Each structure stands twice: as C-alpha cells, then as structure tokens.
Amino acid sequence: MASENMKTISVNKKARHDYFVIESFEAGIELVGTEVKSIRAGGVNLKDSWCGIENGELMVKQMHISPYEHGNIFNRDPLRERRLLMHKSEINRLYGLVRQKEYTLIPLSLYFKGSRVKMQLGLCKGKKLYDKREDAAKRDAAREIDRAMKEHRR
C-alpha cells in the first residue's frame, strides 16, 4: 500500500492486537453514493467488524459508516451488511480455510485505490491472553533498548 494513488481511510488497530494475521487480501466493497461521501469525510469505524461467507458471497458485518449529513432519504443503515468483491475462486479458498482451520476473516484497513474504495482483509487466528502479554513484553523490551541506545549515543 505504498503507492502514491492509495490513501488510507481507516485502520483496524484492534485486529492486530487480538489476532495473528496469517495472510492478507485485497477486496473491493459495494457501497452506495452517500456511504462513499461519508467515507471521504472520515465517518467509518472498523473496530468490531468481521467478514463472513454466505451463499458464496463475502460479506462484511458490523462495519459502521456514519450517515452522510447531507444525504437525507438516501442514507442507509450505518451497520448494514456490505458485499465484498473478490474472485469466486478466492472466496472458495477462503471459505475452505475458515471452515477447516478455524480462521477468521477480519477487515484490517479501508483505503482509496485511485477513486475506488478497497478493503484489506486478514485471514486471522485468535490470540490467547498470554500471547497478548508476550507481545506487550516484546514491545516494552524494544522500547527500553531504544532508550538505552539513545542514552548511549549522547
């Protein structure tokens, strides 16, 4: 996502805290006009969102897109299910992994690629409490090392 025509809209920081990300995928998302305008204004929250596969279609659930303030009757339900756009073979592969290996599909970020809204999905496995503590300990140790190196340079 380092290209100049990509602009990050929202990042799900909680996803990397609660899950191990095994693999990531890019998917388009089916939106209506007022939702796109609200997203451009920054009115999106991925915090508690997740994805499921129903009838061969990939759906994102619990993604909150605030109603567009000038949208009046054209606004939709902020928490409605939205269809994600991927190739059928990719969806079938993800369905197999989710069913057999007990992975979860979690939205990691939402961004503009050109004029299109794209979502980065993560194939994730849940972290246990001790995994979260271990990550925090590693982060603290790295912070201490950085401080010590900074002091040593002076």
Side-chain angles (χ1 to χ4, degrees):
M1 279 186 8
S3 179
E4 62 251 8
N5 66 345
M6 296 175 107
K7 180 185 170 208
T8 302
I9 302 164
S10 178
V11 176
N12 189 353
K13 294 178 186 172
K14 190 176 180 196
R16 298 209 185 261
H17 179 263
D18 291 343
Y19 299 95
F20 292 112
V21 179
I22 309 300
E23 197 174 347
S24 64
F25 303 91
E26 181 180 78
I29 185 167
E30 190 175 73
L31 299 168
V32 295
T34 54
E35 289 177 330
V36 175
K37 290 178 180 183
S38 181
I39 286 172
R40 285 193 186 279
V44 64
N45 184 359
L46 296 174
K47 188 175 179 185
D48 294 324
S49 59
W50 56 281
C51 298
I53 299 172
E54 298 171 355
N55 302 324
E57 292 184 339
L58 189 59
M59 306 295 277
V60 64
K61 301 173 185 202
Q62 297 298 314
M63 181 176 78
H64 186 274
I65 297 178
S66 300
Y68 183 59
E69 62 184 56
H70 302 296
N72 56 40
I73 63 168
F74 299 108
N75 282 329
R76 302 285 176 97
D77 177 27
L79 290 174
R80 76 179 181 93
E81 292 183 7
R82 293 166 183 89
R83 188 164 63 140
L84 295 177
L85 309 172
M86 289 179 83
H87 290 284
K88 186 64 92 179
S89 60
E90 290 177 312
I91 293 173
N92 289 337
R93 178 174 167 257
L94 288 174
Y95 182 72
L97 289 170
V98 167
R99 295 287 292 172
Q100 290 179 351
K101 297 193 177 182
E102 298 178 3
Y103 289 130
T104 307
L105 292 170
I106 303 291
L108 301 176
S109 66
L110 198 65
Y111 54 92
F112 283 108
K113 189 173 186 180
S115 62
R116 310 237 183 229
V117 178
K118 300 284 184 175
M119 179 178 280
Q120 183 182 18
L121 285 178
L123 185 65
C124 302
K125 194 161 189 92
K127 283 185 182 179
K128 304 286 185 205
L129 183 59
Y130 57 84
D131 292 325
K132 293 178 190 178
R133 286 184 188 143
E134 187 177 308
D135 284 349
K138 285 179 185 176
R139 212 171 31 249
D140 291 343
R143 198 174 302 132
E144 289 297 323
I145 290 169
D146 288 344
R147 282 189 193 136
M149 293 296 287
K150 189 175 181 181
E151 290 293 321
H152 182 67
R153 280 186 241 148
R154 286 186 185 179

